[in-house]
Amino acid sequence: MHRSALLPALLIAVASPATAQGPLSLAEAFRRADTAAFANRIADGASRAQAAQVTAALQGILPSVRVEGGVARTDDPLGAFGYTLEQRLVSAASFNPSSLNSPDPVTNWRASIVAEVPLFNADAFLGRSVALRLTDAARANAGWIRASTRADVTRAYFAAILAREEIQTLEAAVTAARAHLRQAESMVGNGLATRSDALLASVQQGRLEAQLIGARGNALIARERLALLLGQPGDTAFVLPDSLPAAPRVHAIAGRITTDSATTRLDVTAARFGLEAADRDGRRASAGYLPRLNGFGRSDWNSTDRLFGGRRSYTIGVMASWSPFTGAAQIADREASRGRAVSARAALDAAQAGAGLELSATTTMVAVAVAQLDIASTSLAQATEAHRIVARKYDGGLATIAELLSAATVENETRLGLATARYQVIVAVAAARLASGDDLTDLTQLEN
């Protein structure tokens, strides 16, 4: 080998194993979408934000401690005497009327450690209970969005494979059409066929080539749509299987769907948690009329020249408060909580009713898709046999080119129809599993 060609050959040999990759599996597509899909990331962020509200609700339950420090200078008579007293520097001379009325400026450095200890705040405890239920609802909603995204990924994944299979079917049909055209043109030259036969063959070839162009465009769009759902827009370098699962495997997966109930669906669970949160919020609003009991304690240092200087003083105590009426805001809060409870009840009713309808509709979709798949399988077998018979008659001079092209067209369209029927069953099963609250991981059994 020439030395100038040796280096590129070696580079290709080294790079090929590194770039080779197996087909993207449905399980891997699920894994990517679970972590990177835009809808999942948004829902996870919202769930984390809501979870933080549980911690925020502890403000009225757990003790708090803060440290304060500052310096002030004043010649105000009351302020100057107070600072002197806090610094423990009062003497008999401090009561001289002249110095009391016209004191020299006094500087005071104050440092404090303050602790506040909630003892009984019913609205705070109930507020945390509300936050907990809302967090449960947010997590359930994130789970539902993740499941819905998996259903979308299933549709897009197998749609991209369907487009790939359609390209292969049409490429084979175009090759056959070109052979028919060459044969027809040869027969016209030999006086065994008319020019119309060659024209019909040419029209058939052009029609199939136009379909092939469309199929290739659809395949590109399908790959881009799948990449977008996976949260990796523009990354379409993944490899897909050549064809959809065979009809028997598709038929088998359709028999394993649950049609009993949709109460386990996470969107229904989220609505149920939302109603519980609304009920608890109503109790929280009512608890605002109850008395509150809080403790406090503080240590203070007052000095003429530094923080935490001088002698320490402390103050501890308990404060009870009751506000039987604080104005219209408290009344509005209770009314608003009642309104939220009504809305949450309606949301739960709507979620349950919608889940029931979707379960019924998707179950029907599966039955229809399976029936259409059976018909398409039978039709392909019949169309293939019919095409074989017409081809033999054509070879024997007993059939026209028009009949041969017609039989080839029927077989090609039927083959494409069978691929679409297999895809429709997969899509219907994915929708039915989602509607019943079942995990879509079972669909990974369809991988070739």
Side-chain angles (χ1 to χ4, degrees):
M1 181 182 291
H2 194 276
R3 292 183 60 185
S4 61
L6 179 60
L7 181 58
L10 288 174
L11 292 175
I12 293 174
V14 172
S16 294
T19 57
Q21 57 177 324
L24 174 68
S25 66
L26 182 60
E28 174 62 15
F30 283 167
R31 188 194 65 78
R32 294 187 189 184
D34 287 346
T35 57
F38 296 119
N40 291 342
R41 289 161 56 192
I42 293 170
D44 289 341
S47 178
R48 292 180 60 183
Q50 178 55 51
Q53 297 303 312
V54 177
T55 304
L58 293 172
Q59 184 174 0
I61 299 174
L62 298 180
S64 63
V65 178
R66 70 179 184 273
V67 178
E68 300 174 349
V71 62
R73 183 175 175 83
T74 183
D75 64 354
D76 174 73
L78 185 60
F81 186 81
Y83 285 160
T84 302
L85 185 62
E86 289 177 333
Q87 295 167 2
R88 314 297 176 89
L89 297 177
V90 173
S91 63
S94 301
F95 293 94
N96 185 319
S98 177
S99 62
L100 286 173
N101 291 324
S102 301
D104 293 330
V106 176
T107 299
N108 184 65
W109 290 79
R110 177 189 292 274
S112 306
I113 299 177
V114 183
E116 297 177 347
V117 185
L119 299 176
F120 178 75
N121 294 286
D123 56 339
F125 283 96
L126 290 170
R128 184 171 183 272
S129 176
V130 173
L132 285 169
R133 269 296 170 260
L134 289 175
T135 299
D136 291 337
R139 288 171 178 164
N141 184 64
W144 172 249
I145 291 176
R146 186 174 294 106
S148 300
T149 300
R150 283 192 167 195
D152 293 338
V153 168
T154 300
R155 285 189 287 268
Y157 177 80
F158 286 108
I161 297 175
L162 172 63
R164 184 179 174 89
E165 184 174 342
E166 288 176 343
I167 289 175
Q168 294 174 343
T169 300
L170 289 169
E171 285 176 343
V174 168
T175 300
R178 289 171 179 169
H180 290 156
L181 176 59
R182 288 193 299 270
Q183 185 180 15
E185 289 175 342
S186 175
M187 294 177 67
V188 169
N190 294 328
L192 300 176
T194 65
R195 184 168 178 269
S196 62
D197 293 330
L199 291 175
L200 286 174
S202 178
V203 169
Q204 176 68 0
Q205 175 185 327
R207 181 185 304 164
L208 289 171
E209 288 177 343
Q211 286 183 264
L212 180 57
I213 292 172
R216 286 171 175 164
N218 291 336
L220 178 60
I221 295 172
R223 294 175 69 88
E224 291 176 344
R225 182 176 293 112
L226 176 58
L228 180 63
L229 280 172
L230 297 180
Q232 301 166 337
D235 182 8
T236 58
F238 49 80
V239 179
L240 292 173
D242 293 332
S243 62
L244 292 169
R249 296 179 64 192
V250 175
H251 206 293
I253 200 73
R256 296 199 294 268
I257 61 172
T258 302
T259 59
D260 296 335
S261 174
T263 57
T264 59
R265 281 175 40 154
L266 288 175
D267 61 333
V268 176
T269 302
R272 188 177 297 112
F273 282 143
L275 177 58
E276 292 180 14
D279 290 339
R280 295 182 182 188
D281 188 58
R283 293 195 292 272
R284 176 207 58 80
S286 298
Y289 290 97
L290 297 176
R292 293 179 173 84
L293 185 65
N294 296 285
F296 64 91
R298 62 182 298 146
S299 292
D300 297 291
W301 291 262
N302 293 274
S303 172
T304 59
D305 56 1
R306 62 190 175 88
L307 290 174
F308 294 99
R311 292 175 57 185
R312 181 180 70 88
S313 61
Y314 73 88
T315 305
I316 59 174
V318 176
M319 178 67 70
S321 63
W322 181 41
S323 303
F325 181 73
T326 58
Q330 196 168 21
I331 298 174
D333 186 27
R334 291 188 65 187
E335 291 301 316
S337 67
R338 291 170 181 169
R340 287 190 290 270
V342 172
S343 178
R345 166 57 67 183
L348 176 58
D349 292 343
Q352 291 174 333
L357 175 60
E358 288 180 16
L359 181 58
S360 175
T362 54
T363 301
T364 302
M365 286 171 54
V366 171
V368 170
V370 168
Q372 292 174 338
L373 174 61
D374 292 339
I375 294 172
S377 299
T378 302
S379 297
L380 178 59
Q382 294 172 340
T384 302
E385 179 63 13
H387 185 198
R388 186 189 67 81
I389 294 173
V390 173
R392 291 187 62 183
K393 292 172 63 178
Y394 178 76
D395 292 339
L398 300 177
T400 65
I401 187 68
E403 292 175 316
L404 177 62
L405 295 177
S406 177
T409 298
V410 170
E411 181 187 2
N412 183 62
E413 292 178 351
T414 306
R415 192 174 300 279
L416 292 174
L418 176 59
T420 301
R422 285 145 59 206
Y423 171 74
Q424 292 298 339
V425 172
I426 295 172
V427 169
V429 170
R433 295 189 70 85
L434 179 67
S436 62
D438 289 339
D439 188 5
L440 270 69
T441 304
D442 192 45
L443 293 175
T444 57
Q445 299 177 22
L446 289 172
E447 294 171 353
N448 287 331

